[in-house]
């Protein structure tokens, strides 16, 4: 069987020409700052329109548009990728409020959605490590372990790209992925 590869990139996730990029959104799905803001700016208004439709639909059945740990998928507007998977990381509250499990769920559920749609390549940002305050080192460990573990259950996915926006996260990921034997 063909290999599943994990790549590490220092750069801007909006430039990745993969099947799907993952957005670190909030549970209202209506855009925000950080990577969410960058994705919506680069994608154009179509993306927000699609998010709004999903949010309304979910609210209509009495649900939150996207609770922490869950994920939804939309088109990608003007982005070079084909889809955007919006997931919501946990706000860091010291680590004892289920944050690691919720963060792992973000990666897992995003990959399940991608597999369901038959997508082959997915790029992830460092979910929750900005505004939501998740410690970078811990987040990288949880993210890489969750991805490695999930890949065996998503055989259609051929390539994962971890996109780090800052040197610190890039250095941390290098170390964590080497430790996990991925590089
Ligand atoms: N490409 C890749 N990574 C990026 C980019 C980019 N263009 N821009 C920022 N990052 P954050 P969170 C990195 O704050 O912590 C939003 O307002 C950034 O350096 O975007 O999950 C949402 O609407 C950091 O490492 O997301 C939510 O309200 C990582 O992306 C809230 O922020 C995540 O930082 C979510 O907070």
């Amino acid at each position: 069987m063909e290999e599943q590869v994990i790549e590490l990139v220092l750069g801007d996730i909006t430039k990745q020409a993969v099947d799907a990029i993952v957005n670190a959104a909030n549970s209202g799905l209506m855009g925000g700052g950080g990577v969410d803001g960058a994705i919506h700016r680069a994608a154009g208004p179509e993306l927000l329109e699609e998010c709004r439709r999903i949010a309304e639909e979910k609210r209509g059945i009495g649900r939150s548009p996207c609770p922490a740990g869950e994920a939804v998928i939309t088109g990608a507007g003007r982005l070079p990728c084909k889809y955007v998977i919006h997931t919501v990381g946990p706000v860091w509250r010291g680590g004892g409020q289920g944050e690691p499990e919720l963060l792992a769920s973000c990666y897992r559920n995003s990959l399940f959605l991608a597999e369901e749609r038959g997508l082959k390549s997915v790029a992830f940002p460092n979910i929750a490590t900005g505004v939501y305050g998740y410690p970078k080192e811990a987040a990288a460990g949880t993210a890489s372990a969750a991805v490695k573990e999930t890949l065996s259950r998503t055989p259609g996915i051929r390539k994962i790209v971890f996109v780090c926006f800052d040197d610190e996260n890039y250095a941390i990921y290098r170390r964590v992925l080497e430790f996990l034997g991925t590089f």
Side-chain angles (χ1 to χ4, degrees):
M1 199 172 103
E2 219 184 305
E3 224 189 323
Q4 291 172 300
V5 299
I6 297 182
E7 292 179 3
L8 179 59
V9 163
L10 178 63
D12 182 346
I13 201 164
T14 65
K15 309 275 196 270
Q16 300 294 315
V18 286
D19 287 345
I21 64 169
V22 177
N23 182 17
N26 57 64
S27 55
L29 291 182
M30 296 307 294
V35 72
D36 194 7
I39 288 173
H40 276 282
R41 266 194 309 278
E46 219 176 279
L47 186 63
L48 193 61
E49 203 29 62
E50 213 177 326
C51 287
R52 193 195 312 275
R53 274 204 302 276
I54 293 174
E56 273 169 16
E57 217 172 275
K58 292 279 183 78
R59 287 208 177 90
I61 54 168
R63 294 189 49 202
S64 154
C66 191
E70 294 188 14
V72 303
I73 188 165
T74 63
R78 298 195 286 256
L79 288 164
C81 56
K82 298 186 190 126
Y83 296 91
V84 178
I85 295 172
H86 308 260
T87 188
V88 180
V91 174
W92 180 257
R93 294 196 172 88
Q97 311 288 313
E99 294 93 330
E101 187 39 47
L102 286 170
L103 186 64
S105 293
C106 289
Y107 287 89
R108 224 174 11 242
N109 286 328
S110 297
L111 289 178
F112 288 152
L113 264 184
E115 176 80 0
E116 227 173 78
R117 292 287 178 114
L119 309 186
K120 298 203 166 344
S121 53
V122 180
F124 283 102
N126 308 135
I127 299 165
T129 66
V131 174
Y132 283 179
Y134 207 112
K136 292 177 181 175
E137 188 92 36
T142 297
S144 341
V147 164
K148 268 203 104 168
E149 204 179 277
T150 308
L151 276 176
S152 58
R153 293 153 73 185
T154 56
I157 298 177
R158 312 297 349 153
K159 184 168 82 163
I160 299 295
V161 187
F162 284 115
V163 182
C164 298
F165 201 55
D166 58 276
D167 294 330
E168 192 191 352
N169 258 319
Y170 184 74
I172 291 171
Y173 266 85
R174 271 218 86 83
R175 214 166 352 95
V176 168
L177 292 175
E178 260 162 29
F179 180 74
L180 286 175
T182 306
F183 284 167

